Amino acid sequence: MRSKIVAGNWKMNKTLSESKDLVKEIKKSIKGIKLENTRVIIAPTYVNLQKVSKSTKKSAIEVAAQNMHQADSGAFTGEISAEMLKSVGVGIVILGHSERREYFGETDALLAQKVDQALKNKLEIIFCFGEVLDDRKNENHFKVVESQIKNALFHLDASDWKYLVLAYEPVWAIGTGETASPEQAQEMHAFIRNLVASKYNSAIADNVSILYGGSVKPANAKEIFSKEDVDGGLIGGAALNADDFSALIEAI
Ligand code: PEP
């Protein structure tokens, strides 16, 4: 059975002491919540990964990195490797976030290399993709999502898919306050699941968690999360506040 997941991407927010405080608050506010088949993941900035990962050790919270480099090691100033992530207790990495694609020029081809590198190191991947507003307006959104998934993931073996979580994040809904309707999210998630089933098989498609991301907040989460093919959310803004984040976990 696939897991439900609420994952918070903290982006370039929170100093070390702010991160520690937020973890403390999240731990406190999720104490009373029954996490049946539900995973809670947070992705702080690189420099706080080790401390945050230590402070979540005895809790239900898992820690992810927001990115990583595709090479093993070497002269790549400012970059972080998969092995480094593992060495500080991190087992999950977010790849392909639209901000990485837009501001740092990450292409499908580069992301395919990052995916391979993460898998080589047995890191679980939250793989993000999604269309921009023009694609949606021109009704190209299915085509765009299909090519993003095919280009970065369809060279993988069936056995690799247990390391994958997919995150559909329409770019027009990220940090804009604009959310895809629950029906739009369901329609795309069902499309993605069918795509995976037709390339691999229905067991793999049924077992992969597909998250929705884009301005999810306590007020709209329940409706979005109630859709059959929506297995949770990748959360930006609302993950920076413990009450909001725990409300999203409660919603799922
Ligand atoms: C994101 O950046 O992945 C995201 C979904 O952000 P927000 O929730 O703020 O739209």
Side-chain angles (χ1 to χ4, degrees):
M1 190 169 63
R2 58 183 184 259
S3 306
K4 303 269 183 196
I5 299 174
V6 179
N9 174 10
W10 292 4
K11 308 191 182 183
M12 198 175 73
N13 293 295
K14 306 286 177 191
T15 61
L16 178 57
S17 67
E18 290 167 347
S19 298
K20 283 180 176 168
D21 287 347
L22 184 52
V23 169
K24 242 188 234 161
E25 287 167 27
I26 294 172
K27 274 188 184 166
K28 205 161 115 194
S29 53
I30 66 170
K31 235 181 191 156
I33 306 175
K34 268 198 180 161
L35 294 172
E36 280 166 26
N37 192 38
T38 300
R39 298 172 63 190
V40 176
I41 300 172
I42 54 175
T45 181
Y46 282 139
V47 291
N48 297 333
L49 277 173
Q50 184 172 18
K51 286 269 160 56
V52 168
S53 138
K54 252 192 196 157
S55 69
T56 53
K57 243 197 181 112
K58 283 185 189 139
S59 77
I61 303 169
E62 299 172 71
V63 175
Q66 299 174 18
N67 183 32
M68 71 161 226
H69 195 268
Q70 65 276 16
D72 289 337
S73 62
F76 301 104
T77 302
E79 291 292 333
I80 306 281
S81 73
E83 203 181 11
M84 290 169 186
L85 295 179
K86 292 195 76 174
S87 73
V88 295
V90 173
I92 312 168
V93 63
I94 298 173
L95 293 177
H97 192 279
S98 64
E99 286 150 17
R100 297 296 317 170
R101 293 175 188 259
E102 184 180 351
Y103 305 132
F104 302 95
E106 297 199 359
T107 60
D108 290 346
L110 175 74
L111 290 167
Q113 291 177 40
K114 291 195 176 199
V115 164
D116 290 344
Q117 180 66 4
L119 291 173
K120 190 170 118 183
N121 286 277
K122 298 205 162 15
L123 286 172
E124 187 179 6
I125 300 162
I126 300 176
F127 186 77
C128 309
F129 50 85
E131 81 282 2
V132 298
L133 187 57
D134 272 355
D135 297 326
R136 172 67 61 171
K137 279 188 181 156
N138 298 325
E139 299 188 357
N140 277 332
H141 44 296
F142 292 114
K143 258 196 215 146
V144 168
V145 163
E146 182 171 347
S147 74
Q148 288 172 326
I149 292 175
K150 276 186 172 170
N151 292 342
L153 303 179
F154 275 8
H155 63 288
L156 299 177
D157 289 336
S159 59
D160 294 327
W161 278 73
K162 59 178 177 294
Y163 291 100
L164 281 174
V165 170
L166 304 181
Y168 169 56
E169 298 207 297
V171 180
W172 49 272
I174 295 179
T176 58
E178 189 86 37
T179 321
S181 69
E183 292 70 30
Q184 285 172 320
Q186 169 57 28
E187 186 186 32
M188 182 59 87
H189 284 222
F191 171 80
I192 295 161
R193 210 176 294 285
N194 282 332
L195 190 68
V196 175
S198 56
K199 167 72 181 172
Y200 293 92
N201 57 53
S202 56
I204 288 181
D206 284 345
N207 282 324
V208 69
S209 299
I210 309 178
L211 313 184
Y212 169 79
S215 299
V216 177
K217 36 190 179 288
N220 59 23
K222 226 176 189 165
E223 238 195 311
I224 297 172
F225 292 166
S226 70
K227 292 295 177 190
E228 194 184 337
D229 287 293
V230 178
D231 304 311
L234 181 55
I235 317 296
L240 298 173
N241 175 288
D243 288 341
D244 286 349
F245 192 58
S246 61
L248 301 184
I249 297 162
E250 217 149 356
I252 208 159

